[in-house]
């Protein structure tokens, strides 16, 4: 027990150290992109101005962003004031706790060595450490998801305590309120209960577990329902947000790219530097190639709102445009799925290397630009052997797939959902700890077999 505690303290310390390195880099950096919106929402909530992106009164409500992370920021701002560096410190601590959580999860479903190696890799991972010092929801989301899975795995180990179901369901609800994409993930929880029930038949399973399933679903629905009811009352839309319509429209537009632009897009996926060299006039910026021309989405939304359309009406218009585009070329949409998966495979990147001051320096110096591109490219390519090792580890542990199901489920679900909707490397960042778990297991198992 003392040995385990010492190791968990070591993992936590490594994660804090890795996060602190990025903390000092971001101390004097202004907020950009989505971080500015999260900050406005959190500060307005802390000030009692409601869930609004307005700079001043009247504070108009919004449903552009999922609420869990802005409410987390509001809690921090309420206690400490509008001090963003405090958020970074708290997120670094959450990152350290997340590393420990994955050690506990891996130890419960794999083995001690795999758990130790994977948790250390998670604590050292530059991508995860970097996100702990960004005002983005990823670190908070990974923590919530890991905590929910941890409690649920404890439930599936044969314990009859209903408190684990309740806590896991509440945490899953918060996870959905942090990332709406997870709204159907509860299905995997129910599958896990069935797989580990040992009843042998569906009728026996329902007889033994129906009350527990009802309890889990009821708590989950009660957790997420207030936000949906609020949006229905305020905007007339029974949904979590309306940003999904722009994501789907971007996906439909990419599916209809002409052949030359499609080649440029795939090149950008593997190397932004190479893409900008070979196809300099295809996209406005490398980021546009990755996101799917987001500036067009923004212009379209602003145009519709200037014409007097409400957020709900804007959502419906964009969704209709996306559906019409998909219906006109359904096979293009389907066959573009592998490209979306390739896009998701670019998750091994360091956001700090894409910051404005570094990119400006790269524009001034060709040698620096080449060095930067080489570092970014080499690091990004590590995603492919990592995923290969993870799949290998999953296959080697095939006999224990029922036990490992809740750790495999996020990989299947998140990749599947985003391949259909819209692939973007940032969406796969929460999968890095799960990949590392099975990659460590696969590497150690293969090594053991070679030595045998």
């Amino acid at each position: 027990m003392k040995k385990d505690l010492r190791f968990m303290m070591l993992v936590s310390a490594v994660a804090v150290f890795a996060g602190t390195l990025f903390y000092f880099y971001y101390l004097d950096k202004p907020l950009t992109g989505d971080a500015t919106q999260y900050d406005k929402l959190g500060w307005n909530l802390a000030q009692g101005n409601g869930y609004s992106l307005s700079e001043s009164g009247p504070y108009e409500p919004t449903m552009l962003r999922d609420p869990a992370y802005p409410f987390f920021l509001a809690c921090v701002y309420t206690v400490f004031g509008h001090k963003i560096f405090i958020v970074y410190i708290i997120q670094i601590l959450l990152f350290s706790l997340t590393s420990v959580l994955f050690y506990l999860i891996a130890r419960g479903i794999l083995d001690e060595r795999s758990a130790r190696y994977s948790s250390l890799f998670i604590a050292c991972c530059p991508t995860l450490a970097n996100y702990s010092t960004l005002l983005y929801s990823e670190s908070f989301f990974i923590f919530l998801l890991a905590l929910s899975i941890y409690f649920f795995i404890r439930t599936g180990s044969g314990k009859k305590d209903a408190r684990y179901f309740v806590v896991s369901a509440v945490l899953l609800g918060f996870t959905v309120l942090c990332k709406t994409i997870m709204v159907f993930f509860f299905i995997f929880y129910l599958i896990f209960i069935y797989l580990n029930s040992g009843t042998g038949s569906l009728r026996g399973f329902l007889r033994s577990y129906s009350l527990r399933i009802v309890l889990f679903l009821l708590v989950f629905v009660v957790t997420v329902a207030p936000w949906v009811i609020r949006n229905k009352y305020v905007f007339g839309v029974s949904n979590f947000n309306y940003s999904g319509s722009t994501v789907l429209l971007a996906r439909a537009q990419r599916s209809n790219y002409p052949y030359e632009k499609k080649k440029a897009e795939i090149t950008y996926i593997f190397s932004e530097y190479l893409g900008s060299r070979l196809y300099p006039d295809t996209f406005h910026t490398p980021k546009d190639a990755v996101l799917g021309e987001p500036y067009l989405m923004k212009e379209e939304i602003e145009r519709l709102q200037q014409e007097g359309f409400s957020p709900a009406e804007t959502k419906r218009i964009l969704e209709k445009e996306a559906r019409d585009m998909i219906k006109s070329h359904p096979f293009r949409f389907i066959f573009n799925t592998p490209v979306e998966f390739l896009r998701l495979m670019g998750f091994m990147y360091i956001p700090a290397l894409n910051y404005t001051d570094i990119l400006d320096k790269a524009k001034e110096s060709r040698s620096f630009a080449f060095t930067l591109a080489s570092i970014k490219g080499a690091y990004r390519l590590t995603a492919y052997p990592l995923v290969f090792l993870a799949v290998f580890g999953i296959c080697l542990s095939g006999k224990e797939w029922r036990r490992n199901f809740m750790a495999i489920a996020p990989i299947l679900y998140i990749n599947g959902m985003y391949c259909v909707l819209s692939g973007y490397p940032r969406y796969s960042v929460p999968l890095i700890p799960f990949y590392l778990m099975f990659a460590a297991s696969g590497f150690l198992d293969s090594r053991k077999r070679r030595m045998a």
Side-chain angles (χ1 to χ4, degrees), residues 15 66 108 136 176 181 235-236 297 333 340 347 405:
D66 296 314
Y136 288 167
V176 171
I181 192 74
F235 300 103
M297 302 292 116
F333 187 86
E340 299 300 320
F347 57 82
F405 182 77

Side-chain angles (χ1 to χ4, degrees), residues 372-386:
L372 178 65
S374 300
I375 294 172
K376 291 167 65 175
Y379 183 64
R380 176 173 288 192
L381 288 176
T382 60
Y384 298 96
L386 173 61

Side-chain angles (χ1 to χ4, degrees), residues 172-209:
L172 179 61
F174 289 157
T175 303
V176 171
L177 293 174
C178 193
K179 296 277 188 185
T180 302
I181 192 74
M182 302 300 290
V183 68
F184 299 113
F185 191 60
F186 73 91
I187 296 172
F188 287 84
Y189 282 66
L190 303 185
I191 295 173
F192 181 77
I193 299 173
Y194 174 70
L195 291 175
N196 292 275
S197 64
T199 55
S201 68
L202 182 60
R203 179 178 296 180
F205 165 71
L206 293 175
R207 187 185 304 116
S208 302
Y209 288 84

Side-chain angles (χ1 to χ4, degrees), residues 115-383:
R116 287 175 176 258
Y117 275 94
S118 60
S119 58
L120 279 173
F121 289 147
I122 290 168
C124 295
C125 179
T127 304
L128 298 175
N130 195 162
Y131 268 98
S132 70
T133 55
L134 291 174
L135 224 65
Y136 288 167
S137 61
E138 270 66 26
S139 286
F140 189 56
F141 170 75
I142 297 170
F143 174 72
L144 290 175
L145 179 60
L147 200 58
S148 178
I149 289 176
Y150 169 70
F151 278 107
F152 202 78
I153 287 176
R154 292 194 66 182
T155 301
S157 64
K159 299 179 181 296
K160 302 299 182 182
D161 198 334
R163 287 178 296 179
Y164 291 123
F165 271 102
V166 173
V167 172
S168 181
V170 170
L171 289 167
L172 179 61
F174 289 157
T175 303
V176 171
L177 293 174
C178 193
K179 296 277 188 185
T180 302
I181 192 74
M182 302 300 290
V183 68
F184 299 113
F185 191 60
F186 73 91
I187 296 172
F188 287 84
Y189 282 66
L190 303 185
I191 295 173
F192 181 77
I193 299 173
Y194 174 70
L195 291 175
N196 292 275
S197 64
T199 55
S201 68
L202 182 60
R203 179 178 296 180
F205 165 71
L206 293 175
R207 187 185 304 116
S208 302
Y209 288 84
S210 58
L211 289 178
R212 302 172 78 186
I213 292 172
V214 169
L215 175 65
F216 180 84
L217 292 176
L218 180 62
V219 174
F220 171 68
V221 170
V222 168
T223 304
V224 301
W227 184 251
V228 179
I229 293 171
R230 175 260 188 189
N231 291 340
K232 178 65 176 178
Y233 177 77
V234 176
F235 300 103
V237 179
S238 299
N239 211 328
F240 292 92
N241 60 51
Y242 57 72
S243 61
S245 56
T246 61
V247 172
L248 185 61
L249 182 56
R251 163 79 155 90
Q253 287 182 340
R254 285 199 301 272
S255 301
N256 290 309
Y257 280 168
Y259 178 69
E260 286 300 317
K261 194 168 186 177
K262 181 64 68 177
K263 286 198 304 182
E265 178 195 24
I266 294 173
T267 305
Y268 269 102
I269 290 173
F270 287 102
S271 171
E272 293 178 9
Y273 179 82
L274 186 62
S276 62
R277 289 292 178 183
L278 295 179
Y279 306 98
D281 302 321
T282 305
F283 296 98
H284 281 58
T285 67
K287 189 175 182 180
D288 296 327
V290 175
L291 286 173
E293 302 185 12
Y295 60 91
L296 291 178
M297 302 292 116
K298 184 177 179 181
E299 289 177 359
E300 181 71 4
I301 292 172
E302 290 176 351
R303 181 184 65 79
L304 291 170
Q305 292 181 349
Q306 287 173 1
E307 291 178 5
F309 290 101
S310 67
E313 291 170 334
T314 300
K315 179 180 184 294
R316 283 192 285 267
I317 291 171
L318 294 177
E319 284 180 345
K320 184 179 184 304
E321 186 177 342
R323 286 197 302 269
D324 291 344
M325 196 174 294
I326 294 169
K327 288 178 181 177
S328 63
H329 299 286
F331 292 107
R332 288 184 186 178
F333 187 86
I334 294 170
F335 293 140
N336 199 61
T337 301
V339 179
E340 299 300 320
F341 182 70
L342 284 176
R343 191 187 305 278
L344 287 168
M345 287 284 285
F347 57 82
M348 294 298 278
Y349 69 100
I350 304 174
L353 297 182
N354 292 323
Y355 213 82
T356 306
D357 55 353
I358 291 182
L359 295 180
D360 289 341
K361 187 175 179 181
K363 291 177 182 177
E364 297 170 0
S365 171
R366 181 169 294 182
S367 60
F368 181 81
F370 179 77
T371 302
L372 178 65
S374 300
I375 294 172
K376 291 167 65 175
Y379 183 64
R380 176 173 288 192
L381 288 176
T382 60

